[in-house]
Amino acid sequence: MSICFAITDADWELTKDVFGIISTLVSAAGVGVAGWIGFEGLKTWRRQSKGASDHDLSRRLLLDLYNLRDCVSALRSPVMLINESAIPPEQLAGLNFQQISYKHTAYSYQQRFVTLDEVRNRLRGEILESEVVWGEDLKSLYDPIITLIHELWTYIRAHLVTMNPDESDDMIKSYRNMLTKRRDVLYELPLEGEDEFKKELILALTKLEDYLKPKLIS
């Protein structure tokens, strides 16, 4: 009997050791699984967070790019609305018809450029933000639009000089000669395909759309 009890005690001690090892292994496996689940969860959270950030930035950029397109179209419109040229009467006192006409036109363009600059300033910050998170690709796609807007601004500025009755004849002649060497981008042409400036602007915007729309969360 004592031998049986001795064997049984030995088996029990061995069994306890085996169960201890198995328990340790199970605990270690549980920690490993929990760690893997946590790591995968963190990766998913980071991916979702980045997706949401990319979506928000892309949406803001697209909205302001469309606003910019509309501002450029309004800038090139030959129609001057009354509210655009609402100059205080005291500033027009003593001026002749030609001077008043010039003042209204210059003021209208000034107001249009103010609206355009508000959108451009927002885009400048958004483009800088995109450079931080995506690199310089978007900035390089946006550069042609800046070039087109500068071309338009230069042409309108020269055009206003040529119609200013208070400018000297030599200055007016000089600016008219300058305009003859540039393409006419002052007004938006009504017929599709004839307006090269508009075609270039739409092409540049389309490239930006193709870059930004895949970053939107559908």
Side-chain angles (χ1 to χ4, degrees):
M1 291 293 292
S2 60
I3 295 174
C4 291
F5 279 120
I7 293 173
T8 302
D9 289 342
D11 289 344
W12 174 244
E13 290 298 326
L14 179 61
T15 301
K16 286 198 299 181
D17 290 342
V18 170
F19 276 121
I21 293 170
I22 292 173
S23 176
T24 301
L25 291 174
V26 170
S27 297
V31 171
V33 170
W36 178 81
I37 292 174
F39 178 72
E40 288 299 313
L42 181 60
K43 285 202 306 183
T44 301
W45 176 81
R46 284 176 175 172
R47 185 167 59 249
Q48 290 174 342
S49 179
K50 185 179 186 308
S53 297
D54 287 351
H55 171 86
D56 178 66
L57 180 55
S58 299
R59 180 185 60 81
R60 286 187 282 120
L61 278 161
L62 284 168
L63 283 173
D64 279 330
L65 286 168
Y66 296 151
N67 281 328
L68 185 74
R69 173 201 61 195
D70 294 344
C71 284
V72 171
S73 181
L75 193 56
R76 300 181 70 207
S77 172
V79 179
M80 299 288 180
L81 301 177
I82 295 176
N83 63 322
E84 288 183 310
S85 57
I87 302 175
E90 60 270 16
Q91 294 186 18
L92 303 177
L95 301 181
N96 59 38
F97 176 79
Q98 192 177 6
Q99 289 172 321
I100 292 174
S101 177
Y102 167 75
K103 287 281 188 182
H104 279 299
T105 302
Y107 186 79
S108 295
Y109 277 118
Q110 180 184 354
Q111 295 304 107
R112 292 177 182 186
F113 272 112
V114 166
T115 304
L116 177 66
D117 285 342
E118 289 175 355
V119 179
R120 286 182 60 191
N121 288 335
R122 288 199 304 269
L123 277 168
R124 188 178 293 112
E126 291 159 357
I127 294 293
L128 185 61
E129 184 179 348
S130 77
E131 192 173 352
V132 173
V133 295
W134 301 331
E136 297 185 356
D137 291 344
L138 188 70
K139 181 177 180 297
S140 63
L141 292 173
Y142 182 64
D143 284 343
I145 294 180
I146 294 299
T147 301
L148 287 169
I149 291 175
H150 180 72
E151 178 185 2
L152 181 59
W153 177 84
T154 303
Y155 197 98
I156 291 174
R157 179 175 175 272
H159 169 71
L160 289 173
V161 172
T162 63
M163 64 177 297
N164 186 354
D166 296 324
E167 285 287 359
S168 67
D169 291 341
D170 289 341
M171 181 67 75
I172 291 173
K173 182 179 179 180
S174 175
Y175 272 85
R176 281 177 178 167
N177 288 336
M178 184 185 75
L179 289 178
T180 60
K181 298 175 184 178
R182 295 174 176 267
R183 64 172 176 173
D184 189 346
V185 297
L186 183 62
Y187 297 134
E188 191 170 275
L189 301 179
L191 297 179
E192 187 71 26
E194 289 188 357
D195 194 333
E196 290 296 325
F197 182 92
K198 186 176 181 179
K199 285 168 61 177
E200 291 176 19
L201 180 63
I202 290 174
L203 177 61
L205 286 170
T206 300
K207 291 180 179 179
L208 284 162
E209 283 180 323
D210 292 341
Y211 180 88
L212 291 169
K213 283 189 173 180
K215 298 182 182 297
L216 293 173
I217 299 175
S218 59

